[in-house]
Coordinates of all heavy atoms in Angstrom, one line a residue:
T200 N -4.4 19.2 -5.0 CA -4.3 17.8 -4.4 C -4.3 17.9 -2.9 O -5.0 17.1 -2.2 CB -3.0 17.2 -4.8 OG1 -2.9 17.1 -6.3 CG2 -2.8 15.8 -4.3
V201 N -3.6 18.8 -2.3 CA -3.7 19.0 -0.8 C -5.1 19.3 -0.4 O -5.7 18.7 0.6 CB -2.8 20.1 -0.4 CG1 -3.0 20.6 1.1 CG2 -1.3 19.7 -0.5
S202 N -5.8 20.2 -1.1 CA -7.2 20.6 -0.7 C -8.1 19.5 -0.8 O -8.9 19.3 0.1 CB -7.6 21.8 -1.6 OG -8.9 22.3 -1.2
R203 N -8.1 18.7 -1.9 CA -9.1 17.7 -2.1 C -8.8 16.5 -1.1 O -9.8 15.9 -0.6 CB -9.1 17.2 -3.5 CG -7.9 16.5 -4.0 CD -8.0 16.2 -5.5 NE -6.8 15.6 -6.1 CZ -6.6 14.3 -6.1 NH1 -7.5 13.5 -5.7 NH2 -5.5 13.8 -6.7
F204 N -7.6 16.3 -0.8 CA -7.3 15.2 0.2 C -7.8 15.5 1.6 O -8.4 14.7 2.2 CB -5.8 15.0 0.3 CG -5.2 14.1 -0.8 CD1 -3.9 13.8 -0.9 CD2 -6.1 13.5 -1.8 CE1 -3.4 13.0 -1.9 CE2 -5.6 12.7 -2.8 CZ -4.2 12.4 -2.8
I205 N -7.6 16.8 2.0 CA -8.1 17.1 3.4 C -9.6 17.3 3.4 O -10.3 17.0 4.4 CB -7.4 18.4 3.9 CG1 -7.6 19.6 3.0 CG2 -5.9 18.1 4.1 CD1 -6.9 20.8 3.5
C206 N -10.2 17.7 2.3 CA -11.7 17.7 2.2 C -12.3 16.3 2.2 O -13.3 16.0 2.9 CB -12.2 18.5 1.0 SG -12.0 20.2 1.0
G207 N -11.6 15.4 1.6 CA -12.0 14.0 1.6 C -11.8 13.4 3.0 O -12.7 12.6 3.4
A208 N -10.7 13.7 3.6 CA -10.5 13.2 5.0 C -11.6 13.7 6.0 O -11.9 13.0 6.9 CB -9.1 13.6 5.5
Y209 N -12.1 14.9 5.7 CA -13.1 15.5 6.6 C -14.3 14.6 6.7 O -14.8 14.2 7.8 CB -13.5 16.9 6.1 CG -14.3 17.7 6.9 CD1 -14.3 17.6 8.3 CD2 -15.2 18.7 6.4 CE1 -15.1 18.4 9.1 CE2 -16.0 19.5 7.2 CZ -15.9 19.3 8.6 OH -16.7 20.1 9.3
I210 N -14.9 14.3 5.5 CA -16.1 13.4 5.6 C -15.8 12.0 5.9 O -16.5 11.2 6.5 CB -16.9 13.5 4.2 CG1 -18.2 12.8 4.4 CG2 -16.1 13.0 3.1 CD1 -19.2 13.0 3.2
M211 N -14.6 11.5 5.5 CA -14.2 10.1 5.7 C -14.1 9.9 7.2 O -14.3 8.8 7.7 CB -12.9 9.8 5.0 CG -12.7 8.3 4.8 SD -11.3 8.1 3.6 CE -12.0 8.7 2.1
A212 N -13.7 10.9 8.0 CA -13.6 10.7 9.4 C -14.9 10.5 10.1 O -15.1 9.6 11.0 CB -12.9 11.9 10.1
F213 N -16.0 11.2 9.6 CA -17.3 11.0 10.1 C -17.9 9.7 9.7 O -18.7 9.0 10.4 CB -18.2 12.1 9.7 CG -17.8 13.5 10.3 CD1 -17.4 14.5 9.5 CD2 -17.9 13.7 11.7 CE1 -17.0 15.7 10.0 CE2 -17.5 14.9 12.2 CZ -17.1 15.9 11.4
A214 N -17.5 9.2 8.5 CA -18.0 7.9 8.0 C -17.4 6.8 8.9 O -18.0 5.7 9.0 CB -17.6 7.7 6.6
G215 N -16.3 7.0 9.5 CA -15.6 6.0 10.3 C -16.2 5.9 11.7 O -15.9 5.0 12.5
L216 N -17.0 6.9 12.1 CA -17.5 6.9 13.5 C -18.6 5.9 13.7 O -18.8 5.4 14.8 CB -18.1 8.3 13.8 CG -17.1 9.4 14.0 CD1 -17.9 10.8 14.1 CD2 -16.3 9.2 15.3
R217 N -19.4 5.6 12.7 CA -20.5 4.7 12.8 C -20.5 3.6 11.7 O -19.9 3.8 10.7 CB -21.8 5.5 12.7 CG -22.2 6.2 14.0 CD -22.7 5.2 15.0 NE -23.2 5.8 16.2 CZ -22.4 6.0 17.2 NH1 -21.2 5.6 17.3 NH2 -22.9 6.6 18.3
D218 N -21.1 2.5 11.9 CA -21.2 1.4 11.0 C -22.2 1.7 9.8 O -22.1 1.1 8.8 CB -21.6 0.1 11.6 CG -20.5 -0.4 12.6 OD1 -19.3 0.1 12.4 OD2 -20.7 -1.1 13.5
S219 N -23.2 2.6 10.1 CA -24.2 2.8 9.1 C -24.6 4.2 8.8 O -25.2 4.5 7.8 CB -25.5 2.0 9.5 OG -26.0 2.5 10.8
H220 N -24.3 5.1 9.7 CA -24.8 6.5 9.5 C -24.3 7.2 8.3 O -25.0 8.0 7.6 CB -24.4 7.3 10.8 CG -25.3 6.9 12.0 ND1 -25.0 7.5 13.2 CD2 -26.3 6.1 12.1 CE1 -25.9 6.9 14.1 NE2 -26.7 6.1 13.4
Y221 N -23.1 6.9 7.9 CA -22.5 7.5 6.7 C -21.9 6.3 5.9 O -20.7 6.2 5.8 CB -21.5 8.6 7.0 CG -22.0 9.7 7.8 CD1 -22.0 9.7 9.2 CD2 -22.7 10.7 7.2 CE1 -22.5 10.7 9.9 CE2 -23.3 11.8 7.9 CZ -23.2 11.7 9.3 OH -23.8 12.7 10.0
D222 N -22.8 5.6 5.2 CA -22.4 4.3 4.6 C -21.4 4.6 3.4 O -21.6 5.6 2.7 CB -23.6 3.6 4.0 CG -23.3 2.3 3.4 OD1 -23.1 1.3 4.2 OD2 -23.3 2.2 2.2
A223 N -20.4 3.8 3.3 CA -19.4 4.0 2.3 C -20.0 4.0 0.9 O -19.6 4.8 0.0 CB -18.3 2.9 2.4
D224 N -20.9 3.1 0.6 CA -21.4 3.0 -0.8 C -22.6 4.0 -1.0 O -22.8 4.4 -2.2 CB -21.9 1.6 -1.1 CG -20.8 0.6 -1.0 OD1 -19.7 0.9 -1.5 OD2 -21.0 -0.6 -0.5
E225 N -23.4 4.3 0.0 CA -24.5 5.1 -0.2 C -24.2 6.6 0.0 O -24.9 7.5 -0.5 CB -25.6 4.7 0.8 CG -26.2 3.3 0.5 CD -27.0 3.3 -0.8 OE1 -27.4 4.4 -1.3 OE2 -27.1 2.2 -1.4
V226 N -23.2 6.9 0.8 CA -22.9 8.3 1.1 C -21.5 8.7 0.8 O -21.2 9.7 0.0 CB -23.2 8.6 2.6 CG1 -22.8 10.0 3.0 CG2 -24.6 8.3 3.0
L227 N -20.5 8.0 1.3 CA -19.1 8.4 1.2 C -18.6 8.4 -0.2 O -18.1 9.5 -0.7 CB -18.2 7.5 2.1 CG -16.7 7.8 2.1 CD1 -16.5 9.2 2.5 CD2 -16.0 6.8 2.9
H228 N -18.7 7.3 -0.9 CA -18.3 7.3 -2.3 C -19.0 8.2 -3.2 O -18.4 8.9 -4.0 CB -18.4 5.8 -2.9 CG -17.6 5.6 -4.1 ND1 -17.9 4.6 -5.0 CD2 -16.6 6.3 -4.7 CE1 -17.1 4.6 -6.0 NE2 -16.3 5.7 -5.9
P229 N -20.4 8.3 -3.2 CA -21.1 9.3 -4.0 C -20.7 10.7 -3.7 O -20.6 11.5 -4.6 CB -22.6 9.1 -3.6 CG -22.6 7.6 -3.2 CD -21.3 7.4 -2.5
F230 N -20.4 11.0 -2.4 CA -20.0 12.4 -2.1 C -18.6 12.7 -2.7 O -18.4 13.8 -3.3 CB -19.9 12.5 -0.6 CG -19.5 13.9 -0.1 CD1 -20.5 14.9 0.1 CD2 -18.2 14.3 0.1 CE1 -20.2 16.1 0.6 CE2 -17.8 15.5 0.5 CZ -18.8 16.5 0.8
L231 N -17.7 11.8 -2.6 CA -16.3 12.0 -3.1 C -16.4 12.1 -4.7 O -15.6 12.9 -5.3 CB -15.4 10.8 -2.7 CG -15.1 10.7 -1.2 CD1 -14.3 9.4 -0.9 CD2 -14.4 11.9 -0.7
Q232 N -17.3 11.3 -5.3 CA -17.4 11.4 -6.8 C -18.1 12.7 -7.1 O -17.7 13.4 -8.1 CB -18.3 10.3 -7.3 CG -17.5 8.9 -7.3 CD -18.5 7.8 -7.8 OE1 -19.6 7.7 -7.4 NE2 -17.9 7.0 -8.6
K233 N -19.1 13.1 -6.4 CA -19.8 14.4 -6.7 C -18.9 15.6 -6.8 O -19.0 16.4 -7.6 CB -20.9 14.6 -5.7 CG -21.8 15.8 -5.9 CD -22.9 15.8 -4.9 CE -23.8 17.0 -5.2 NZ -25.0 17.0 -4.3
Y234 N -18.0 15.7 -5.8 CA -17.1 16.8 -5.7 C -15.7 16.6 -6.3 O -14.8 17.4 -6.2 CB -17.0 17.3 -4.3 CG -18.4 17.8 -3.8 CD1 -19.2 17.1 -3.0 CD2 -18.8 19.1 -4.2 CE1 -20.4 17.5 -2.5 CE2 -20.1 19.6 -3.7 CZ -20.8 18.8 -2.9 OH -22.1 19.2 -2.5
G235 N -15.5 15.4 -6.8 CA -14.2 15.1 -7.4 C -13.0 15.1 -6.4 O -11.9 15.6 -6.8
L236 N -13.2 14.6 -5.2 CA -12.2 14.7 -4.2 C -11.2 13.6 -4.3 O -10.0 13.7 -3.8 CB -12.8 14.7 -2.8 CG -13.8 15.9 -2.6 CD1 -14.4 15.8 -1.2 CD2 -13.1 17.2 -2.8
L237 N -11.5 12.4 -4.9 CA -10.6 11.3 -5.0 C -10.8 10.7 -6.4 O -11.9 10.7 -6.9 CB -10.9 10.2 -4.0 CG -10.5 10.5 -2.5 CD1 -10.7 9.3 -1.7 CD2 -9.0 10.9 -2.4
T238 N -9.7 10.3 -7.0 CA -9.8 9.6 -8.3 C -10.2 8.1 -7.9 O -10.1 7.7 -6.8 CB -8.5 9.6 -9.0 OG1 -7.5 8.9 -8.2 CG2 -8.0 11.0 -9.2
E239 N -10.6 7.4 -9.0 CA -11.0 6.0 -8.8 C -9.8 5.2 -8.3 O -10.0 4.3 -7.5 CB -11.6 5.4 -10.1 CG -12.9 6.0 -10.4 CD -14.0 5.7 -9.3 OE1 -14.0 4.6 -8.7 OE2 -14.8 6.6 -9.1
E240 N -8.6 5.5 -8.8 CA -7.4 4.7 -8.3 C -7.2 5.0 -6.8 O -6.8 4.0 -6.1 CB -6.2 5.2 -9.2 CG -4.9 4.4 -8.8 CD -3.7 4.9 -9.6 OE1 -3.9 5.8 -10.4 OE2 -2.7 4.3 -9.4
E241 N -7.3 6.2 -6.4 CA -7.1 6.5 -5.0 C -8.2 5.9 -4.1 O -7.9 5.4 -3.0 CB -7.1 8.0 -4.8 CG -5.9 8.7 -5.5 CD -6.1 10.2 -5.7 OE1 -7.2 10.7 -5.5 OE2 -5.1 10.9 -6.1

Side-chain angles (χ1 to χ4, degrees):
T200 302
V201 167
S202 182
R203 65 186 179 91
F204 278 177
I205 56 181
C206 288
Y209 188 30
I210 188 172
M211 202 168 291
F213 294 116
L216 285 172
R217 279 285 184 268
D218 293 339
S219 61
H220 287 174
Y221 301 94
D222 186 76
D224 295 323
E225 294 291 338
V226 179
L227 181 58
H228 194 201
F230 182 91
L231 297 174
Q232 288 179 316
K233 181 176 182 178
Y234 295 101
L236 299 180
L237 289 182
T238 65
E239 289 301 321
E240 182 182 4
E241 292 161 352

